[in-house]
Structure formats: structure tokens, C-alpha cells
Amino acid sequence: MGSALVWGAVAAASLVIGGLLGVARAWPDKLVGAVLAFGAGALISAVSFDLFEEGVQQGGGVPVAIGLAAGALTYFTLDRIVEHKVPGAGAALALGALLDGIPEQAVLGIGLASGNGVSISLLAAIFVSNLPEAIGASTELHEAKRSRATILRMWGAVAVVCVIATVAGYAIADASSGDFKAGINGFAAGALLVMLVDSMIPDATRKAGRIAGLVTVLGFAVAAGLS
């Protein structure tokens, strides 16, 4: 349980670090866009290798497909609700970080409970993708006149929830079937894919311009290499 708490905190720390960087100063749009593009590539890798592929291996395609649909619909619905209250891509990115962070870190905890140790590839993918998500969202929210304190409290709360998800994943691992674990993987992948297409990639392209595609491939390559 202690290892789940420690590694969960390490993975979630990138959200707070990204939040601090995002509000520390006004970052050029091109740089923010490039960071978002890199993170998008890392997330595509995480969906492909750490969530979808492992989910299919654990429980087969059907539980993963059900999880994908549930994650996609959950993100889509909540994003529309948040959009009316806090317009802009920043709120969508923050919501995406929460909705994919919970099942991602639950998967991390389940892996620790299996006795195989921490999955370095999953840990790195979570950390590498959280950082640009948090930087981009914090920058957008700060530009929308949200206070630094409000933004940092938000990321602190999201990080705490993600750490709790890691511990919960560790605690329920023995009682969880392969189908359930596959469904968790699918849920995270579904939420991520909708967030990527709706918010992260369009925002990266708008801010970074033509280099966004190249940087996305670089992010994918780095995360895939770590996998």
C-alpha cells in the first residue's frame, strides 16, 4: 500500500508542477502549442500501448470496447457541462486530466499489487502527458482571468484524487477480474481520445501552427520508446 501511495504521488506530481509552470509567467503561444502537441503524442502512445493493448491482453476486446464507450460518453457529457460554466480549452484539458488520470493511476496501482513492480512505461507516460496538459490548461485558465491560487488549488485537488485512485487500484486488485481491469483501461482510453480530438490537438495546432504535427510525432516516439 505504501508503494502505491509513493508511486501515485510521483505520477500525480506532474500535474502540480505543470500548474506552477503554467501560472509562473506568460508563455508564448507557439511554445504552449508545442508543449501541448508533445503531450498529445505521448497520450496517443499511452492509449495505444499502455491502455488499449494491455486491456485487450487482460480481458479481451469486449470489456475494453465497453470501457471505451463509457469513457468517451462520460468525458463528452461532462465537457459540455463544464464548457457552459468555464468556456475555453483550459477547462476541457483539466477535465481530461481528471477523467483519464483516475483510471490511469488505478491501473498503475493494480499493476503494483500484482507483484511485478511499478510499470516504468505507464508511469513515464502519465508523467510526460500530465505535464503539458497541466501547463496548457493553466495557461488558458490564467488568460481567462482565473486567479493563480484557484488554478493551483484545482491541480492540487486533481493530484490528490489521482493518488487516491492509485491506492484504490492497489486495494481492489485481488478482487478484480481481468474484464474489470480491461474496462478500466478502456475507460481511460475513451476519455483521452475524445479530449485529444476535441481540445488538445486543435489547441496545439492553433497555437503552434505547422510544427504541431512534427512535435506530436516526437512526443509519440519518446513515450513509445519508454514503453
Side-chain angles (χ1 to χ4, degrees):
M1 189 69 75
S3 61
L5 185 63
V6 170
W7 288 114
V10 170
S14 55
L15 292 167
V16 179
I17 294 170
L20 287 167
L21 290 172
V23 300
R25 50 162 291 180
W27 299 98
D29 274 358
K30 203 169 189 71
L31 178 60
V32 173
V35 169
L36 286 171
F38 186 91
L43 287 173
I44 294 169
S45 174
V47 168
S48 303
F49 303 118
D50 294 304
L51 296 174
F52 184 83
E53 184 177 7
E54 288 186 11
V56 170
Q57 290 172 354
Q58 290 174 332
V62 173
V64 174
I66 293 171
L68 276 166
L73 287 169
T74 300
Y75 177 84
F76 180 84
T77 302
L78 292 179
D79 181 46
R80 293 303 175 272
I81 295 171
V82 170
E83 188 177 19
H84 289 299
K85 296 184 177 181
V86 188
L93 290 172
L95 177 63
L98 177 65
L99 288 183
D100 68 68
I102 292 173
E104 269 183 348
Q105 297 212 191
V107 170
L108 185 66
I110 290 170
L112 284 166
S114 70
N116 296 324
V118 65
S119 169
I120 296 300
S121 61
L122 180 59
L123 180 67
I126 293 171
F127 196 96
V128 168
S129 59
N130 278 348
L131 201 59
E133 262 189 299
I135 291 173
S138 298
T139 301
E140 291 272 354
L141 290 169
H142 193 49
E143 289 175 353
K145 307 304 181 185
R146 301 284 165 177
S147 71
R148 287 183 172 88
T150 298
I151 294 169
L152 293 177
R153 278 198 301 268
M154 178 194 73
W155 287 122
V158 172
V160 168
V161 171
C162 288
V163 173
I164 292 171
T166 309
V167 175
Y170 185 94
I172 66 172
D174 290 339
S176 301
S177 66
D179 288 354
F180 180 74
K181 295 173 185 176
I184 291 177
N185 282 50
F187 186 95
L192 276 173
L193 286 171
V194 178
M195 185 274 292
L196 282 166
V197 174
D198 281 1
S199 303
M200 198 167 186
I201 291 174
D203 205 39
T205 303
R206 179 173 59 83
K207 289 180 178 293
R210 296 178 65 87
I211 68 165
L214 290 173
V215 180
T216 299
V217 174
L218 177 60
F220 182 93
V222 170
L226 291 171
S227 295

